[in-house]
Amino acid sequence: MSSSLHSTHPTLTDRARGAFYGLALGDAFGMPTQSLSRERIVEQFGRIDKLESAFPDQPIAPDMPAGSITDDTEQAILVAHLLADNNGTIEPLAFVHALIEWEASMKARGSLDLLGPSTKQAIERITAGEDPLRTGRFGTTNGAAMRVTPVGIAFDLRRQERFIDAVVQSCVVTHNTTLGISSAAAVAAAVSAGLNGATLGEALEAGIAMAQAAETRGFWVAGGRIAPRIRQARELMHRSAEDDVVNVLYDVIGTSVASQESVVATFALAFDAERRGNSIESSLGRAASLGGDTDTIAAMLGAILGACAGYDALPASCIDTVRRVNTLDLEPLVDRLLGLRAATA
């Protein structure tokens, strides 16, 4: 298997597997560098170009072995199960209970990789008795976007209103804002377009269009809008010399948990990969080397690249490691999500 951005006519199932395993692979690439500055990453690893283990004082994932996934993949799996078990619908309270149980299991395992700020705040409000349709009204971080890939697999973006409804269901409890929904819609649409056979460039444009279409949903919050910021990032990438790309991403676009930064940075990396013909492996390594929310940026990037190129385009040895280290078998879930896609086509 190669790790190029182009595969030879992958089937729908191959592209769906590519999206889900691409997410897990990106997550594992970014695991040891999450929440670190660029300077600390350079000091510890140099440039990331393969799966690395976390060092003992890694602030979130101390001593985790190379290939380990984090909350990004685990919460995407949680969303996939909710969709598959309830005929494509995510019921708000079921989502809340699943998230609470997931965090409890993480704590029981001694993990420091727990619920993000928007999700944590929303669940505290629900626990206090607030309506789950209102608890997500402050959620602007990237938690919804990081776990939305199963929605992109299960729903075809060509049925736009149904697609946006599905994205909103995955956001409403924790990220029920213009920014939270728009950013999740961008990622889900790029994945869904990839499954339909779009090129990477076409999938990214579909993500921009869906971000704009979905921003009418949810509670309005102040902040730079997702679609225009992605368009601006595309132009920045086209104007940037290869040596300047990381500086532009880190200093200008930003790599924090804010959706206007990390989701936009994800698309910027994908535009740059398309422009230069970078391999999936090198693209994920660049994402992991950025600093900031590297596991989430690399996970979203892996999902988009994998959806467009297919499973066989993912680097085989790396995927084997991720599958082995995490005892990961996503095929049954992928099949169930594609069943939903067929049923709603």
Side-chain angles (χ1 to χ4, degrees):
M1 296 182 192
S2 72
S3 58
S4 73
L5 288 174
H6 307 286
S7 191
T8 307
H9 307 299
T11 65
L12 175 64
T13 300
D14 291 333
R15 293 191 292 267
R17 291 172 72 213
F20 219 150
Y21 279 105
L23 183 148
L25 179 62
D27 188 12
F29 257 89
M31 174 275 295
T33 59
Q34 59 185 309
S35 299
L36 301 180
S37 68
R38 262 181 69 201
E39 293 74 19
R40 182 73 176 91
I41 293 169
V42 170
E43 175 188 317
Q44 186 73 33
F45 300 103
R47 176 185 166 85
I48 301 289
D49 57 9
K50 63 182 186 300
L51 294 172
E52 298 273 8
S53 299
F55 50 91
D57 59 342
Q58 213 290 341
I60 297 177
D63 282 326
M64 286 185 74
S68 299
I69 58 172
T70 77
D71 60 329
D72 302 82
T73 307
E74 295 203 0
Q75 288 191 32
I77 291 170
L78 182 154
V79 167
H81 277 295
L82 289 170
L83 286 169
D85 292 345
N86 203 27
N87 202 29
T89 300
I90 298 177
E91 198 277 318
L93 287 179
F95 194 15
V96 171
H97 292 144
L99 287 169
I100 290 172
E101 288 174 7
W102 173 81
E103 185 173 59
S105 74
M106 293 295 280
K107 288 178 178 177
R109 284 182 266 167
S111 174
L112 302 175
D113 206 356
L114 306 176
L115 294 172
S118 296
T119 301
K120 188 76 172 173
Q121 183 183 42
I123 286 179
E124 287 171 354
R125 290 175 178 276
I126 288 170
T127 304
E130 196 167 322
D131 180 355
L133 298 182
R134 291 183 56 79
T135 50
R137 67 188 185 277
F138 305 111
T140 61
T141 51
N142 58 23
M146 81 176 190
R147 60 186 179 230
V148 80
T149 288
V151 175
I153 298 172
F155 295 91
D156 191 327
L157 81 165
R158 291 174 294 196
R159 292 192 61 192
Q160 182 170 295
E161 286 308 307
R162 180 71 186 91
F163 185 85
I164 293 174
D165 286 345
V167 171
V168 170
Q169 281 192 7
S170 74
C171 295
V172 68
V173 170
T174 58
H175 295 80
N176 190 12
T177 63
T178 49
L179 291 176
I181 292 169
S182 181
S183 60
V187 175
V191 168
S192 186
L195 263 66
N196 287 340
T199 65
L200 178 56
E202 292 166 345
L204 297 174
E205 294 301 326
I208 294 173
M210 195 63 73
Q212 186 161 322
E215 70 180 2
T216 58
R217 309 289 285 271
F219 290 86
W220 179 85
V221 286
R225 292 164 54 219
I226 300 299
R229 283 182 61 84
I230 295 176
R231 289 193 193 99
Q232 181 193 42
R234 178 185 57 198
E235 298 311 310
L236 284 171
M237 290 299 98
H238 285 164
R239 294 200 305 268
S240 297
E242 187 162 13
D243 292 346
D244 292 335
V245 166
V246 172
N247 291 331
V248 170
L249 286 163
Y250 191 70
D251 298 332
V252 180
I253 294 172
T255 60
S256 76
V257 297
S259 58
Q260 308 104 298
E261 293 193 2
S262 47
V263 173
V264 175
T266 298
F267 273 73
L269 283 164
F271 278 119
D272 190 61
E274 181 211 17
R275 178 188 175 199
R276 303 184 197 280
N278 298 337
S279 71
I280 292 174
E281 200 166 359
S282 66
S283 297
L284 297 181
R286 173 167 278 187
S289 302
L290 278 177
D293 199 6
T294 52
D295 58 328
T296 298
I297 293 170
M300 294 185 292
L301 179 63
I304 294 170
L305 299 182
C308 293
Y311 182 83
D312 284 348
L314 300 175
S317 62
C318 294
I319 285 292
D320 289 345
T321 298
V322 171
R323 295 184 74 134
R324 175 179 51 78
V325 168
N326 304 285
T327 321
L328 197 62
D329 178 17
L330 298 174
E331 273 79 6
L333 264 181
V334 168
D335 288 345
R336 296 179 73 193
L337 294 172
L338 288 178
L340 291 173
R341 191 183 187 93
T344 58

